[in-house]
Amino acid sequence: MTRFAPAIPALALAATLAACGPPAPPQAAAGTETPDGAPDAGYVAPPEIVSGVRRPQGLALSGTAPAGAEVQLVAPDGKGGMATADDKGAWSLIVPAPMAAPAMYALSARIGERVVRAEGAVLAVPAPGPPVVLARAGFAALPLEGPLPRLQVTALDYDAGGGAAVAGVGPARARVRLSIDGVEAGLDQSDARGRFAVIGANRPLEPGARRLRVEADGGAQALTADVLAQVSPVAPLNGSAFRAVRQDGGWRVDWARAGGGVQSTFVFDVPPEPAP
């Protein structure tokens, strides 16, 4: 999938996390390095987050990593959690569930002297938003749930240049069409888990109220989902790693990208389950 803006660098929570101890800084592209910063030529699969579920004791996260790796999830304030991947590479941990505002975490795995960074950053969202999405520089935020028998728009990502992408979930392996304000904007195919991310490639996303529609073939009938998003100019963060603002229908999270620039991720509230 083509990024929605050229040469968008990796996620820049790194500077904020530098004083938080051993965890590796998060990047939008997965990578491997040794503690002194020298690249390691041998490939090691990056850690991945597979699910996030709200529990009474907190936000339960699970995923995969190299067997025996020390998995670390760290927020800009140094809080987070740690787990060890089992002999099959599975790991799980619990962090506080965000109640008043979203939280962002860097995900990494340490195998001996090697540190492997996950693709993107973990963005935890209060209810009624989805528990977790994966924020990715230059791409739409990746949902974790799915597949679903219906279409659901999860996130809209955009930057100051007007580049935009829309992500969501629906039936597996479905062809998904995106329109913005009634104008066709892009196509994608959902993956085996029903997740899709469509680049709005035909024109820059303008500030104001934007109506997004996604359509897909759902077997015997066509599926549609419509959401309304208020697009505002992306403002500087003034040294912060991210800023979260509640807007109608969801949370807008502005976050810094390495090398400069800010990306906005609007995470939509999860709609109520349809009546049977």
Side-chain angles (χ1 to χ4, degrees), residues 217-237:
D217 297 328
Q221 61 179 359
L223 302 175
T224 63
D226 294 273
V227 292
L228 188 67
Q230 184 66 39
V231 176
S232 304
V234 179
L237 294 175

Side-chain angles (χ1 to χ4, degrees), residues 153-184:
V153 180
T154 302
L156 163 67
D157 279 75
Y158 60 93
D159 62 12
V166 174
V169 64
R173 308 299 185 191
R175 187 172 176 84
V176 180
R177 298 174 297 278
L178 167 69
S179 61
I180 301 176
D181 296 333
V183 179
E184 185 172 329

